Amino acid sequence: MVAQSATLRSKEELMERMSKPDVITGSEMLLRSLVLEGVDCVFGYPGGAVLFIYDAMHGFSDFHHLLTRHEQGAIHAADGYARASGKVGVCIATSGPGATNLVTGIATAYMDSVPLVVITGNVATNFIGTDAFQEADITGITMPITKHSYLVRDVDDLPRIIHEAFHIANTGRKGPVLIDIPKDVSSHKALFKPVNEVSIRGYNPTVSAKKPQIDKMIKAIEEAERPVILAGGGVVYSGGHEELFEFATKAGIPITTTLLGLGAFPSGNDLWMGMPGMHGTYTANKAIQSADLLINIGARFDDRVTMKLNGFAPKAKIVHIDIDPAEIGKNVPTDIPIVGDIKTVLQQANKDVKYAAKADAWRAHILQSKQDYPLSYVDSDVELKPQWVIEMIHETTKGEAIVTTDVGQHQMWAAQYYRFNQPRSWITSGGLGTMGFGFPSSIGAQMAHPDRLVVSINGDGGMQMCAQELAVCSINNIPVKVAIINNQVLGMVRQWQELIYENRTSHIDLAGSPDFVKLSEAYGVKAFRATNKEEARDAWIAAMDHPGPAVVEFVVRKGENVYPMVTQGSTIDDMLMGDSQ
């Protein structure tokens, strides 16, 4: 208790010191404002236009700055930090190429509704528009992929802008906000006065839903014989997982969670059917197609979930709960629209929701379907199967790790075979499908949770897009455990070429990739290689026992496919099941 009181006191003293009115530079205002917003870690890469900011950081110890080896690594790490912690992720880059190197990461966060404040430098205000050295119109470039952006022209505006940026990023439908600071603005001095109020004309996200709409949903549940809940990332981002559990179990409604919704509902519960869509489970996809009531909670009816829209959930009355009214009815016609924050809406609904008494036969059918059609694959004692590797990782981590992935087959196998029971334990690029995301995002997740086990599952393709960040783990002793599922090929592209393009494989061979063990060791990171089950288990346990970062390269079967699979142009109940099914 004494230590806790001392910590609280030191935090209060810090906030008092940061809030003190002073005549300081724009750079010092930025650093103070970040501390006042609760920022404890910033990811960045310096350059000419942000040198005043980095000069102000000299000797500054009130938050941690992590120097990545590429700006894209910085923004993906900030993204992973935000997804794992629920706080706003922050990254800094210089003007021109530094700023444009952030674009993919900004788009990744925008598609997945991740709260980021992205700070870029720019040339001095008198040079803007002259094609000055390292000038780029980053606010214009990123306009379609930011929730909002600022070009700061007056140092007096900086405290207000920073406070507004954090508010916008982390309220309503969350997303990235960009603050572009010209070099002269970062050096000008003015009186710093902290801003605590936010008043933005036209920005007032709906939090509580209209009761008549909730009443309509509750009545629909009472009348439904085959109800299904489709839960998405909005549940996780709102912190509404406990309310979702209460809602689903009170009503007794089978539930499927999207790729970004994994962990929003415990996978061990009888009501959980797995993931829907292109690589969804047989039970989840068939249930959606047979449902007479589909309640979408915080998902955006992405095309990888719905597949062929004309034929998706053809028998169902559609309820859609979302913080963003623009998503409701955008892709799938909605019968009962409910606009509001997921956590708040479910709290409202849980007061009145009752058990779906007419759905007893449906629940029994779902349980039987899960038993009859589990996820499965043809195992081997000769070749190392990637599905087995994921199952082994789940078993040895007891399902308690924070798992990040890159994009491709390994991502789908991880989503299928690693079972999540807690929110914010699954971090992956959903909407944009960004290769190179997996490993840097794990660095951010580990910085957010230094005492938790963080596992980064990557393909041999995506790992090479961000391998330089191994230096960050090595130098800072960030104990991420990296699993490389190495099938020597662009696996998901190969699978599509095999199944859809009549096996005409084209430019997918990753032969000539580096020896990942030697590459890791060159960065000072402990590394192992495994080619069979015994080696795989021993290497993985050794990696987990190692106190610092560690890499395990799992050399797996080259031609393995992800099943089930729904091809584009098909409805989600038209599944290719694979040899095992």
Side-chain angles (χ1 to χ4, degrees), residues 568-580:
Q568 289 187 318
S570 301
T571 56
I572 60 171
D573 54 348
D574 185 11
M575 291 170 274
L576 304 176
M577 299 302 293
D579 295 337
S580 68

Side-chain angles (χ1 to χ4, degrees), residues 211-227:
K211 191 172 186 306
Q213 297 303 101
I214 292 179
D215 291 342
K216 288 179 184 178
M217 175 179 67
I218 290 171
K219 184 179 179 182
I221 292 171
E222 292 172 356
E223 295 173 350
E225 295 180 0
R226 300 181 306 280

Side-chain angles (χ1 to χ4, degrees), residues 92-241:
I92 300 177
T94 193
S95 63
T100 57
N101 278 342
L102 299 174
V103 170
T104 298
I106 295 171
T108 300
Y110 183 77
M111 287 285 281
D112 288 351
S113 304
V114 178
L116 298 182
V117 168
V118 180
I119 299 162
T120 55
N122 208 332
V123 298
T125 52
N126 60 309
F127 284 110
I128 290 176
T130 69
D131 292 330
F133 177 68
Q134 289 193 332
E135 181 189 1
D137 178 12
I138 195 62
T139 55
I141 289 167
T142 60
M143 187 173 292
I145 53 170
T146 51
K147 190 174 176 185
H148 193 63
S149 59
Y150 296 90
L151 173 58
V152 187
R153 290 185 175 271
D154 189 331
V155 69
D156 288 316
D157 293 333
L158 199 51
R160 172 187 59 81
I161 286 173
I162 294 168
H163 191 55
E164 284 183 3
F166 275 82
H167 175 73
I168 293 170
N170 209 26
T171 55
R173 180 175 181 174
K174 301 178 183 186
V177 177
L178 184 136
I179 305 174
D180 195 32
I181 307 175
K183 189 169 184 178
D184 56 328
V185 173
S186 68
S187 66
H188 287 168
K189 287 188 174 183
L191 178 63
F192 172 71
K193 291 182 180 179
V195 175
N196 299 313
E197 302 295 324
V198 177
S199 179
I200 304 171
R201 187 173 62 184
Y203 181 71
N204 187 26
T206 300
V207 175
S208 298
K210 296 178 180 177
K211 191 172 186 306
Q213 297 303 101
I214 292 179
D215 291 342
K216 288 179 184 178
M217 175 179 67
I218 290 171
K219 184 179 179 182
I221 292 171
E222 292 172 356
E223 295 173 350
E225 295 180 0
R226 300 181 306 280
V228 168
I229 293 172
L230 171 67
V235 177
V236 177
Y237 300 150
S238 72
H241 57 284

